[in-house]
Amino acid sequence: TQARAELAGLRKLEALLQPGEQFAIGEHAAYLHCGQGILKSKAGEALVGKFRMATTRNLATTLKLHALAQERS
C-alpha cells in the first residue's frame, strides 16, 4: 500500500540520527526517540517536515497513556 511505501521511504532518516537517538519502523508507524528533544534533532526535523500529519508525544505523555491503557486492561 501507499502507507507502507511511505514508511519504507523513511529509512533514509537513519543517516540523520545523532547519538542518543533511536529510530524504528513498524508495520503501521515509525517511531523516533530524540534523546535531546525533537527540536534539536535533525531526524526529527526531517520527519515532522515531511509528514505534516505526524503525531508527536513526549515521554511524560507516553507514560501517562501507557498507565491509562494498563488500568483499562
Side-chain angles (χ1 to χ4, degrees), residues 6 9 14 16 18-20 22 27 31 38-39 41 43 48-51 54 63 66-67 69-70 73:
E6 288 177 354
E14 292 173 343
L16 300 175
Q18 299 171 25
Q22 298 175 337
E27 186 174 338
Y31 305 91
I38 196 165
L39 296 177
S41 170
V48 174
K50 180 171 177 59
F51 292 96
L63 293 175
H66 182 340
Q70 293 298 314
S73 50

Side-chain angles (χ1 to χ4, degrees), residues 3-48:
R4 285 187 183 174
E6 288 177 354
L7 285 172
L10 293 175
R11 291 255 177 244
K12 62 186 172 190
L13 292 178
E14 292 173 343
L16 300 175
L17 293 178
Q18 299 171 25
E21 295 182 343
Q22 298 175 337
F23 182 65
I25 297 175
E27 186 174 338
H28 302 288
Y31 305 91
L32 175 63
H33 170 73
C34 305
Q36 299 297 314
I38 196 165
L39 296 177
K40 294 183 180 180
S41 170
K42 292 178 183 178
E45 181 180 336
L47 180 65
V48 174

